[in-house]
Structure formats: structure tokens, C-alpha cells
């Protein structure tokens, strides 16, 4: 039994990333990948690693998840998250949750402490209380930027669709040294969405899927389009038919674009530890660590590489 080389891949959302936010998004996905990788390097599980990576991005206001989530039509934050363990297909998800800092943590508790897979709104809130998860005032999760955008979208001549392009769902996939895979995805959803709207993120097979028999994937982009084609599961299906992660991702994204006109992005890791980060939008912030090298980028064709130890050292100086 040969031990796998652990791999982690993260994304900070597909869409349009404004110039002044690029650096923050790059730094944010790199930090998340390093945190997840540290877990793997210490012998932690893929599930621990993806949770850690996603929590890092939920706490980062650059991303539309946790703190920094976009606002619904009433100006409130409602968040969705999912986590899945490829070993036994266990999964936990929450939807429309308010006033908690890390929805992915709650999703993991749903997976481990209940017989259910998805808890929503008030029920998720009660469960969080039972589990002793501290409540944070809704205001704490709202950034100036989210409020500005919400106001802009309320103007009669506004086009919220225009703004949807800057999406920023976050996600992570990993394979650990035992060959187990996992995925996690978290989002604040669509700006000015109807109250109670649930997108792809909380839905198994759409926002993410993990199966040791094929691999793991986490998606980002237009939620309704992703749900129509069950994007995460579709990618793994293509891999089961023998496609590489990259070809499988491109094939599925291409199908979503031609069939329903939807754009998005995905990260993938196969059961053999091959990975991909692909998108049909203009940009997607992503980072990955494999073989002690960190790779990251935002634009199509962009790929920076540096030794992980160097990255960890500069991360420590920055803390």
C-alpha cells in the first residue's frame, strides 16, 4: 500500500475580479491552500483540509462567503455551504443560514452529528445553537462593498445580472495521504436574490461532490445553471469514462455553456492525485499545492509557481 502524495486545490470564485481586488483574491486563495496543506502534511484528513481552507476564505472579506457575503433583496446575508467525504459519500450542508461566521463548520456538524444531509434557515439556526456555535451579529458579516452593491442593485435602472459576474463562491478539494478525497463549498449566493433562494452550493452533485472511486470537485458560477446540469457530478462522470480532470472539467463547462448558457468554474482532484482548475468565465482565483510546489492564478493561462516552504515562510512573516 503506497501512501498518496497529498494535494489540495482551492478556488475563490469564478467571474469578474476587479483590478483593485486582484491582489487580495490571490493572497486569499494562496493562504487558504497553505492552511489546508498544513493539515494534510501533518497527516490530517482530506475533510479536515477542505474545511480549514474554506474557513480561511469565509473569514476573508474579499470573498462572497462568510464575512463579505452579498446581500439578499432585504439587505441581509443568507449563506449556503456543503462538505462531502469521498470515503463513504457522507455529506452535510446548510442553506439560508444567517449570523454565523463559518457555515462550512456547521455543514460538517450536520454531516457528523445528525442523520440528515441538509438543514435550512431556522432549523439550521436551532442546530447551530444546540452545537454551541456562537452567533455573530448580522452586521459583522456585512462589508461596505456588499452594502454598496446592494444599494446599486436597488436603483430602478440597475441590472443586478451585470454584477452577478463577480461571484466569489469559495471551495476546496483535497486528497490525503491515505487516498481519501473530500470537497467543500461555501457562498453568500447572488446579490439581491429573493429571500430563501438556495443555489447550487448546498446541493450535493451541483456545488460539490467527492467519491474515492473517482475524485472530488467544487464548483462556482451561476448557481441555477450549475443545478440544471448537476455540474460537479457530471465532471466526475466524465472522469469515470476515462477523461483527465482537465478534459472532464472543460467538457462539462462547455456543455453547461452550450446547453443552458451558463458560465462557471471548477476545481478537481482525481483519485490518482491529478488536479485541474478550469473556468469559462473571464477569471477565477485558484491555488493548488502538490509535490511541495504552490501554483496559483486568476486569468486563463496564468500560473505562478513557487516552493511551498518559501510560501509558508512569507505567510508567517505576513501574519
Amino acid at each position: 500500500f503506497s501512501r498518496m502524495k497529498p494535494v489540495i486545490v482551492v478556488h475563490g470564485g469564478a467571474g469578474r475580479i476587479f483590478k483593485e481586488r486582484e491582489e487580495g483574491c490571490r493572497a486569499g486563495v494562496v493562504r487558504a491552500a497553505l492552511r489546508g496543506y498544513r493539515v494534510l502534511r501533518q497527516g490530517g484528513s482530506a475533510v479536515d483540509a477542505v474545511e480549514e481552507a474554506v474557513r480561511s476564505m469565509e473569514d476573508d472579506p474579499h470573498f462572497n462567503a462568510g464575512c463579505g457575503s452579498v446581500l439578499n433583496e432585504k439587505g441581509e446575508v443568507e449563506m449556503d455551504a456543503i462538505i462531502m467525504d469521498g470515503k463513504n459519500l457522507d455529506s452535510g450542508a446548510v442553506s439560508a443560514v444567517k449570523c454565523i461566521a463559518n457555515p462550512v463548520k456547521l455543514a460538517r456538524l450536520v454531516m457528523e452529528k445528525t442523520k440528515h444531509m441538509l438543514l435550512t434557515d431556522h432549523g439550521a439556526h436551532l442546530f447551530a445553537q444546540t452545537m454551541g456555535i456562537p452567533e455573530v451579529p448580522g452586521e459583522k458579516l456585512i462589508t461596505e462593498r456588499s452594502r454598496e452593491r446592494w444599494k446599486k442593485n436597488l436603483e430602478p435602472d440597475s441590472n443586478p445580472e451585470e454584477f452577478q459576474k463577480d461571484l466569489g463562491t469559495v471551495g476546496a478539494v483535497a486528497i490525503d495521504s491515505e487516498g481519501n478525497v473530500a470537497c467543500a463549498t461555501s457562498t453568500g449566493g447572488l446579490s439581491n436574490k429573493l429571500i430563501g433562494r438556495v443555489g447550487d452550493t448546498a446541493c450535493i452533485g451541483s456545488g460539490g461532490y467527492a467519491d474515492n472511486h473517482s475524485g472530488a470537485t467544487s464548483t462556482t458560477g451561476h448557481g441555477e445553471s450549475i443545478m440544471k446540469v448537476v455540474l460537479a457530478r457530471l465532471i466526475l462522470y466524465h472522469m469515470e469514462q476515462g477523461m483527465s480532470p482537465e478534459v472532464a472539467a472543460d467538457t462539462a463547462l462547455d456543455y453547461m455553456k452550450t446547453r443552458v448558457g451558463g458560465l462557471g468554474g471548477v476545481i478537481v482532484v482525481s483519485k490518482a492525485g491529478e488536479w485541474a482548475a478550469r473556468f469559462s468565465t473571464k477569471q477565477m482565483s485558484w491555488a493548488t499545492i502538490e509535490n511541495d510546489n504552490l501554483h496559483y492564478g486568476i486569468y486563463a493561462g496564468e500560473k505562478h509557481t513557487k516552493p511551498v516552504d518559501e510560501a509558508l515562510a512569507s505567510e508567517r512573516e505576513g501574519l
Side-chain angles (χ1 to χ4, degrees), residues 22-246:
E22 269 184 27
E23 272 324 293
C25 286
R26 265 198 199 93
V29 288
V30 166
R31 185 180 310 119
L34 288 168
R35 290 209 179 149
Y37 190 67
R38 208 174 285 153
V39 170
L40 293 171
R41 203 150 77 164
Q42 290 159 1
S45 70
V47 173
D48 288 339
V50 295
E51 181 191 359
E52 185 60 35
V54 166
R55 267 167 54 179
S56 169
M57 292 183 284
E58 286 175 340
D59 293 341
D60 185 332
H62 280 96
F63 303 109
N64 172 19
C67 174
S69 289
V70 297
L71 310 185
N72 66 14
E73 56 178 351
K74 262 182 71 180
E76 299 169 333
V77 165
E78 282 188 324
M79 302 167 290
D80 298 342
I82 193 168
I83 193 163
M84 186 166 182
D85 184 343
K87 195 170 16 181
N88 48 17
L89 307 188
D90 276 351
S91 178
V94 292
S95 76
V97 294
K98 302 180 189 72
C99 304
I100 66 164
N102 297 111
V104 73
K105 206 171 153 180
L106 190 57
R108 176 149 189 194
L109 288 168
V110 170
M111 172 169 85
E112 291 181 347
K113 305 287 185 199
T114 77
K115 290 191 170 72
H116 306 311
M117 276 170 74
L118 172 59
L119 290 181
T120 185
D121 198 354
H122 183 58
H125 174 75
L126 293 176
F127 176 66
Q129 282 180 329
T130 309
M131 290 288 121
I133 290 195
E135 242 179 271
V136 295
E139 294 302 308
K140 266 242 161 81
L141 300 173
I142 297 177
T143 57
E144 199 38 54
R145 180 167 172 266
S146 297
R147 197 178 290 288
E148 284 304 298
R149 169 182 301 188
W150 174 70
K151 283 203 191 106
K152 262 209 181 76
N153 285 342
L154 290 178
E155 291 166 13
D157 57 351
S158 88
N159 175 12
E161 290 303 302
E162 234 335 274
F163 282 106
Q164 301 311 6
K165 296 196 173 65
D166 177 21
L167 287 158
T169 295
V170 307
V173 295
I175 186 165
D176 60 31
S177 56
E178 311 218 309
N180 293 312
V181 298
C183 70
T185 313
S186 180
T187 189
L190 292 179
S191 189
N192 297 61
K193 62 189 178 177
L194 294 182
I195 289 168
R197 178 259 188 189
V198 177
D200 65 294
T201 300
C203 302
I204 190 171
S206 293
Y209 202 81
D211 182 349
N212 281 5
H213 294 166
S214 44
T217 177
S218 168
T219 67
T220 164
H222 183 244
E224 281 71 16
S225 300
I226 291 171
M227 289 160 95
K228 287 174 186 174
V229 302
V230 200
L231 186 62
R233 191 65 192 84
L234 181 60
I235 292 164
L236 292 182
Y237 166 76
H238 286 319
M239 281 159 63
E240 285 156 7
Q241 305 301 304
M243 287 184 192
S244 71
E246 194 162 295

